[in-house]
Amino acid sequence: MATQSLIDITSLSPKFQDLYAKAKDFVENDCIPAEKVFELQMGQNENRWKIIPPVLEELKAKARSLGLWNLFLGQDYEEGAGLTNLEYALIAEITGRSPKIAPEAMNCSAPDTGNMEVFAKYGTPAQKEKWLRPLLDGKIRSAFAMTEPRVASSDATNVETSIRREGNEYVINGLKWWISGAGDPRCAVYLVLGKTDPDNKNKHRQQSIVIVPADTPGVTVVRPMKVFGYDDAPEGHCEIIFKDVRVPVENIILGEGRGFEVIQGRLGPGRIHHCMRCIGMAERGLDLMLARVTDPARRTFGKSLAEHGTVVTDIATSRIEIDQVRFLVLSAARKIDLVKAKGAMKEIGMAKIAAPSMLLRVLDRSIQAHGAMGVSQDTPLAHFHASARTLMFADGPTPVHEAQVGRIELRRAAEVAAKIKEQKEKANSLAAKL
């Protein structure tokens, strides 16, 4: 693992330093070695969606005993661990080295983190007691149902799912897909985004979010979707039909027409979590590459792989790109700490643009160094690569973030143009005196 050179760890809180050291040891010496056991304990065929590998519960118990639990909930929440976004970002990077196991073992995995943040930030006392408490305890899991197959869901105002009030109930009808976590037998609750006021002239006030228990009549999980052939069982990413699903009006989050507000509040810090896990995955990909190219048994044309100039260049490029993106992400995390997520949209956007594309490039170089093994099940690289590609549209596609960053940067245009004009006038005035 590369040293953390951008941030002086010793300058951060003693509590963080203790948790950081424990997290590094836990991920490197418990989670990564458990990955093979996890796969061997997975169910076969349909049982892939019914069996949770026992090693995961063992790791959860150990993580909790070490205090490595719910670290994602920051200083704004009484239920949280009290870390800053910057501090948690550094720990999220470590968990990214074992992305299938470490985040869940520490109860810090998506989509539960975002959903728990919604309940903690916007939930009523009753909603928190019923759903947040068991989520914080790691007893249940959850899903966030927003994306739809019939519209361009990158613009959340397009969702067609209907949430219609009838008396003291909401009736929900719609089709969702790519609902992460919905295949898990422990998934007990969905947060569903739909339209309660489709005719509202303000398109950002049309949507609401309602709580739907997973066992509610009318909810049908149709199928798990596959990411380049990976089904990501047992959590999965599922297609779900909501047909005449009825829930009490008390299940609304924050209030009617507040759905867009809630999802924006949910996504800011979560995007940073994804980005830091990307860096952890990239670091592990580079580590695997270093081990591969220095293996004495791997020689081509009379030289070890590490003696070829192109390989050395690839290693250097990967190191540079990882550290560049780490700087962007830590800068965004610090900005959130200073001005909250709404004031850090440019920094969050830049990090979300840069992290997945960097990860893909680093993984591609590592895969190339591994040859055919790199695209096989014998290393985590192929699965990492598939996951990385989805992050270019999960939690907001790259072009949307690029447009947002560009628009924010354009706000400086008038000031910049005036400054350039002033400089030209001064230059002409000075030249006229010659």
Side-chain angles (χ1 to χ4, degrees):
M1 184 186 300
T3 56
Q4 186 55 258
S5 57
L6 291 172
I7 297 292
D8 179 7
I9 301 298
T10 62
S11 69
L12 301 177
S13 68
K15 178 178 182 178
F16 162 76
Q17 293 179 50
D18 177 62
L19 292 171
Y20 184 76
K22 288 178 178 177
K24 283 173 57 175
D25 181 71
F26 178 66
V27 172
E28 292 298 313
N29 297 312
D30 291 288
C31 294
I32 291 176
E35 289 173 349
K36 185 172 183 179
V37 176
F38 182 94
E39 291 299 326
L40 291 172
Q41 290 179 343
M42 280 286 297
Q44 300 299 314
N45 302 317
E46 289 302 312
N47 284 334
R48 288 178 63 78
W49 306 100
K50 299 176 182 178
I51 295 175
I52 306 300
V55 69
L56 185 57
E57 289 301 321
E58 296 169 10
L59 290 169
K60 287 169 67 176
K62 181 168 184 178
R64 194 162 192 174
S65 72
L66 292 169
L68 300 174
W69 196 255
N70 294 329
L71 301 182
F72 70 95
L73 272 180
Q75 296 176 333
D76 293 337
Y77 303 99
E78 61 182 49
E79 302 91 350
L83 300 179
T84 65
N85 282 286
L86 177 63
E87 289 172 335
Y88 178 66
L90 294 166
I91 290 177
E93 175 184 335
I94 295 171
T95 67
R97 294 178 64 84
S98 181
K100 181 73 174 178
I101 293 180
E104 185 178 351
M106 296 164 62
N107 214 41
C108 292
S109 59
D112 293 334
T113 49
N115 293 338
M116 283 189 271
E117 195 160 357
V118 167
F119 283 120
K121 189 173 186 178
Y122 304 111
T124 65
Q127 290 169 351
K128 289 183 179 182
E129 181 62 29
K130 186 169 184 178
W131 302 115
L132 179 58
R133 179 49 51 195
L135 282 166
L136 288 170
D137 286 341
K139 294 178 179 177
I140 64 171
R141 298 209 64 186
S142 61
F144 190 81
M146 183 180 79
T147 305
E148 298 181 1
R150 295 172 181 155
V151 296
S153 297
S154 58
D155 179 354
T157 64
N158 287 331
V159 297
E160 295 180 331
T161 293
S162 167
I163 302 176
R164 187 182 72 258
R165 181 162 181 170
E166 288 187 4
N168 292 323
E169 294 181 317
Y170 287 111
V171 182
I172 304 156
N173 283 281
L175 175 64
K176 301 286 188 179
W177 73 342
W178 293 105
I179 309 307
S180 297
D184 196 312
R186 300 164 298 173
C187 182
V189 62
Y190 305 124
L191 295 181
V192 181
L193 179 74
K195 289 186 175 178
T196 47
D197 187 8
D199 299 321
N200 194 312
K201 292 182 180 179
N202 183 344
K203 64 180 182 178
H204 294 107
R205 297 286 292 180
Q206 298 174 352
Q207 307 83 10
S208 300
I209 293 178
V210 292
I211 302 166
V212 178
D215 59 358
T216 305
V219 176
T220 303
V221 177
V222 179
R223 57 173 176 157
M225 309 300 296
K226 293 185 178 181
V227 180
F228 294 124
Y230 293 100
D231 62 11
D232 289 334
E235 300 90 359
H237 317 279
C238 298
E239 182 176 3
I240 304 177
I241 295 173
F242 296 88
K243 184 172 178 58
D244 296 328
V245 175
R246 292 179 176 270
V247 298
V249 293
E250 292 79 13
N251 282 26
I252 194 82
I253 294 287
L254 196 58
E256 289 190 15
R258 308 288 293 276
F260 205 85
E261 177 184 348
V262 173
I263 62 173
Q264 288 304 307
R266 177 185 187 273
L267 287 176
R271 287 170 176 149
I272 294 301
H273 303 167
H274 277 313
C275 292
M276 288 309 291
R277 285 191 290 267
C278 280
I279 295 171
M281 292 166 71
E283 287 283 9
R284 189 166 173 201
L286 180 54
D287 284 356
L288 290 169
M289 182 178 182
L290 292 173
R292 174 75 174 192
V293 302
T294 55
D295 181 351
R298 308 290 175 181
R299 299 179 63 83
T300 59
F301 307 107
K303 296 189 292 185
S304 70
L305 295 179
E307 292 176 301
H308 289 278
T310 56
V311 172
V312 175
T313 298
D314 282 350
I315 291 169
T317 303
S318 291
R319 168 49 55 213
I320 292 166
E321 291 180 347
I322 292 170
D323 283 357
Q324 285 174 331
V325 173
R326 181 183 284 114
F327 177 83
L328 277 176
V329 178
L330 293 179
S331 175
R334 186 183 293 277
K335 190 70 175 288
I336 295 173
D337 286 330
L338 293 173
V339 296
K340 307 301 181 186
K342 191 172 183 179
M345 295 309 293
K346 183 177 78 170
E347 290 77 10
I348 293 170
M350 290 192 297
K352 182 60 172 60
I353 293 163
S357 59
M358 172 278 294
L359 175 55
L360 284 167
R361 293 191 299 272
V362 171
L363 292 174
D364 196 59
R365 296 182 194 111
S366 187
I367 288 170
Q368 191 69 27
H370 281 78
M373 181 185 285
V375 296
S376 76
Q377 69 271 38
D378 287 354
T379 79
L381 294 170
H383 198 184
F384 281 11
H385 199 278
S387 299
R389 186 60 184 84
T390 68
L391 290 177
M392 296 186 78
F393 37 76
D395 284 357
T398 295
V400 171
H401 290 295
E402 289 171 338
Q404 181 183 58
V405 171
R407 285 194 299 268
I408 293 173
E409 193 68 8
L410 280 168
R411 294 172 187 169
R412 302 191 304 112
E415 179 184 352
V416 168
K419 183 65 176 179
I420 292 172
K421 181 181 178 181
E422 180 184 353
Q423 291 169 337
K424 286 182 178 179
E425 290 173 349
K426 286 184 178 180
N428 290 336
S429 176
L430 290 171
K433 295 177 181 179
L434 295 178

